[in-house]
PDB file of all heavy atoms in Angstrom:
ATOM      1  N   ASN A  42     -19.199  24.861   8.562  1.00 96.00           N
ATOM      2  CA  ASN A  42     -19.147  26.138   7.908  1.00 96.00           C
ATOM      3  C   ASN A  42     -20.198  26.213   6.702  1.00 96.00           C
ATOM      4  O   ASN A  42     -20.745  27.171   6.399  1.00 96.00           O
ATOM      5  CB  ASN A  42     -17.704  26.576   7.382  1.00 96.00           C
ATOM      6  CG  ASN A  42     -16.873  27.026   8.597  1.00 96.00           C
ATOM      7  OD1 ASN A  42     -17.260  27.612   9.566  1.00 96.00           O
ATOM      8  ND2 ASN A  42     -15.443  26.867   8.390  1.00 96.00           N
ATOM      9  N   ASN A  83     -45.177  29.369  10.198  1.00 51.00           N
ATOM     10  CA  ASN A  83     -46.525  28.918  10.278  1.00 51.00           C
ATOM     11  C   ASN A  83     -47.359  29.325   9.029  1.00 51.00           C
ATOM     12  O   ASN A  83     -48.364  28.605   8.749  1.00 51.00           O
ATOM     13  CB  ASN A  83     -47.211  29.637  11.557  1.00 51.00           C
ATOM     14  CG  ASN A  83     -46.483  29.058  12.843  1.00 51.00           C
ATOM     15  OD1 ASN A  83     -46.082  27.878  12.889  1.00 51.00           O
ATOM     16  ND2 ASN A  83     -46.371  29.863  13.873  1.00 51.00           N
ATOM     17  N   LYS A  87     -49.942  26.659   6.502  1.00 51.00           N
ATOM     18  CA  LYS A  87     -51.315  26.785   6.170  1.00 51.00           C
ATOM     19  C   LYS A  87     -51.669  26.732   4.656  1.00 51.00           C
ATOM     20  O   LYS A  87     -52.738  26.754   4.290  1.00 51.00           O
ATOM     21  CB  LYS A  87     -51.905  28.150   6.750  1.00 51.00           C
ATOM     22  CG  LYS A  87     -51.772  28.097   8.218  1.00 51.00           C
ATOM     23  CD  LYS A  87     -52.224  29.444   8.804  1.00 51.00           C
ATOM     24  CE  LYS A  87     -52.083  29.312  10.451  1.00 51.00           C
ATOM     25  NZ  LYS A  87     -52.359  30.577  11.127  1.00 51.00           N
TER      26      LYS A  87
END
Side-chain angles (χ1 to χ4, degrees):
N42 284 332
N83 294 330
K87 294 178 182 174

